[in-house]
Amino acid sequence: QELELADHGCGSVRWYIVDNGRVNGRVVNAAGEPVARILVALVDPGASAAEYPSKLERTNDDGYFSFTAVRRGTYHVAVNRNRFPDPTDPTNAYPPSFYPGVVDQRHAQTITVGAGEKLSGVDIRIPSKRPASTLIGSVVWEDGSPVVNAQLSVKDVTLTDNSSYHGVATDERGQFKIDGYVGQKLFIEARSNRPYVAGGSGPMERSEPLTIRLERPTHTVQIVITKLR
């Protein structure tokens, strides 16, 4: 960087120095085929699933990933450990796992990165895809009539309660469908879309949240909303 100074003037330059550790590897499935666009993270071995990872990348079309500017330290390499999953992401079919290819973090192998060190060949063979599972449900009023256009907030809490919500709406029959995978644990809250009703400071309605673990190809549930005013 060049500086141009006036006569008798002064100038300042600011720059940052970071550890340039690098970690390169590849994610393949149980058949040895590359897994494209799946999330890979460097995490502290003692961190909970709710904590942010040190680094986060997605594999390329050939399943390779690369981390740069990695600080010296010891890490677990996590695959598909996503706090904010996109429900339409096809990589959701793979269960969260860790290097070299285990589901339980207690059995994960650590990697140690020195100052400016480059680690290559961190290859991870992840478990097979989870079977698909569909949750079919309905939202009804206390008298059994359907709640049209009810709004459902759905959160995947398989790993942590701190993941993000995504929305689902019921149709004209009060029915909804959520596509997922066997092994997922979902937390669901429902509310109606009716206009505000005056007459008190408390909530207008009540509905018990639903927590369900997907264990079969198809699940059926019903959520009841009770009008309080």
Side-chain angles (χ1 to χ4, degrees):
Q1 182 176 352
E2 296 183 0
L3 287 180
E4 184 174 341
L5 301 179
D7 189 27
H8 302 292
C10 64
S12 64
V13 177
R14 179 179 298 177
W15 70 92
Y16 299 92
I17 299 175
V18 296
D19 284 342
N20 192 25
R22 287 147 290 170
V23 179
N24 300 326
R26 195 183 196 196
V27 178
V28 298
N29 60 23
E33 302 164 333
V35 181
R37 309 304 303 163
I38 196 167
L39 202 65
V40 184
L42 291 182
V43 299
D44 187 324
S48 70
E51 297 181 54
Y52 284 101
S54 299
K55 292 286 181 177
L56 200 62
E57 295 287 347
R58 284 191 180 270
T59 58
N60 65 15
D61 290 342
D62 296 316
Y64 289 100
F65 64 88
S66 179
F67 295 107
T68 59
V70 178
R71 294 182 179 180
R72 71 189 81 182
T74 300
Y75 302 93
H76 281 160
V77 186
V79 179
N80 230 7
R81 192 188 196 200
N82 195 349
R83 287 186 59 190
F84 306 100
D86 177 355
T88 65
D89 188 342
T91 63
N92 289 339
Y94 293 100
S97 54
F98 297 87
Y99 173 73
V102 297
V103 174
D104 192 333
Q105 188 172 0
R106 293 174 298 178
H107 302 146
Q109 182 177 326
T110 59
I111 62 169
T112 301
V113 182
E117 184 178 5
K118 180 179 179 179
L119 297 183
S120 299
V122 183
D123 296 342
I124 309 169
R125 185 181 290 266
I126 60 177
S128 301
K129 289 183 177 181
R130 298 177 288 190
S133 179
T134 301
L135 179 64
I136 299 173
S138 61
V139 180
V140 300
W141 296 113
E142 201 170 22
D143 63 3
S145 59
V147 182
V148 178
N149 198 28
Q151 304 300 303
L152 291 92
S153 297
V154 183
K155 181 165 67 169
D156 185 344
V157 294
T158 309
L159 292 178
T160 172
D161 286 342
N162 291 328
S163 59
S164 63
Y165 285 98
H166 70 273
V168 176
T170 61
D171 59 19
E172 67 279 0
R173 297 174 295 173
Q175 297 180 349
F176 65 90
K177 184 180 77 168
I178 298 171
D179 293 320
Y181 301 93
V182 170
Q184 277 186 304
K185 184 179 179 182
L186 302 179
F187 178 79
I188 304 170
E189 295 180 293
R191 60 178 177 81
S192 74
N193 202 31
R194 63 192 177 109
Y196 175 73
V197 178
S201 58
M204 297 194 308
E205 57 195 37
R206 180 181 66 249
S207 175
E208 294 298 326
L210 170 69
T211 301
I212 183 169
R213 183 176 292 278
L214 303 180
E215 298 174 336
R216 304 184 301 273
T218 305
H219 290 261
T220 304
V221 297
Q222 184 179 80
I223 300 175
V224 179
I225 297 179
T226 302
K227 293 179 181 179
L228 300 179
R229 68 172 189 270

